[in-house]
Amino acid sequence: ASLRLDKASVPPMVAERESAKRASRAQSEAQNGLVQFLTDFEVVPELLPKSGAFAVFREVAKASLVPAEVRRKIGDEQQQTATKTFSYCHFACSFPVMAQKAFASAGVVSLIRLMQWMDASKGRVLFSQSFPGSAPKGCAVS
């Protein structure tokens, strides 16, 4: 006799545990991806230690609801941030938090400094060489 499992035959606790494991793996991959991105663009460790990057991730990831107006301005109106996944919207919202932590001040000046730092990084140069023509005309990388 063969053992056949379907959703109906899996105890709810097992299914919940598996779902939690998948969500945890997704969060871990997203966190590692953000830290790698920040390393590539020389934010880590030059402006923030790796622990600071993890703190940014945790702070932004805990936001389960990003206001619709903010999502609209980011260009991510359809994103459902109530999921446990670190979305594009979360990624975009992490920049002001990173800037504040890196330059110890809030506001647009810190965000501009962060963008200028990243624009001058080796990561930006490598990205623009790897993906030529993908940035809109007039952009610093085009």
Side-chain angles (χ1 to χ4, degrees), residues 93-126:
C93 290
S94 70
F95 284 86
V97 177
M98 278 184 271
Q100 183 176 2
K101 288 188 182 299
F103 298 110
S105 64
V108 71
V109 173
S110 293
L111 186 57
I112 290 170
R113 286 179 67 192
L114 177 63
M115 295 291 115
Q116 288 172 333
W117 178 273
M118 293 173 71
D119 190 50
S121 73
K122 292 176 191 163
R124 197 277 304 164
V125 172
L126 292 173

Side-chain angles (χ1 to χ4, degrees), residues 54-135:
F54 291 144
V56 167
F57 180 87
R58 284 190 307 272
E59 185 174 337
V60 174
K62 71 182 174 188
S64 60
L65 183 62
V66 176
E69 182 178 338
V70 174
R71 289 195 323 267
R72 183 181 51 75
K73 287 180 179 180
I74 291 171
D76 197 26
E77 294 176 68
Q78 308 307 317
Q79 180 63 44
Q80 297 299 315
T81 53
T83 65
K84 293 251 182 209
T85 310
F86 193 79
S87 67
Y88 172 74
C89 192
H90 287 102
F91 175 72
C93 290
S94 70
F95 284 86
V97 177
M98 278 184 271
Q100 183 176 2
K101 288 188 182 299
F103 298 110
S105 64
V108 71
V109 173
S110 293
L111 186 57
I112 290 170
R113 286 179 67 192
L114 177 63
M115 295 291 115
Q116 288 172 333
W117 178 273
M118 293 173 71
D119 190 50
S121 73
K122 292 176 191 163
R124 197 277 304 164
V125 172
L126 292 173
F127 176 83
S128 63
Q129 290 172 347
S130 299
F131 303 98
S134 60

Side-chain angles (χ1 to χ4, degrees), residues 131 133-142:
F131 303 98
S134 60
K137 289 287 183 203
C139 218
V141 296
S142 59

Side-chain angles (χ1 to χ4, degrees), residues 10-76:
V10 176
M13 287 177 41
V14 173
E16 288 174 21
R17 253 183 290 162
E18 286 304 312
S19 179
K21 282 182 187 177
R22 280 192 301 277
S24 178
R25 268 194 308 272
Q27 283 294 86
S28 179
E29 288 175 16
Q31 179 175 284
N32 290 337
L34 179 65
V35 171
Q36 184 60 55
F37 169 81
L38 295 175
T39 302
D40 290 348
F41 282 85
E42 300 174 350
V43 175
V44 170
E46 286 83 349
L47 297 178
L48 280 177
K50 197 181 256 190
S51 62
F54 291 144
V56 167
F57 180 87
R58 284 190 307 272
E59 185 174 337
V60 174
K62 71 182 174 188
S64 60
L65 183 62
V66 176
E69 182 178 338
V70 174
R71 289 195 323 267
R72 183 181 51 75
K73 287 180 179 180
I74 291 171
D76 197 26

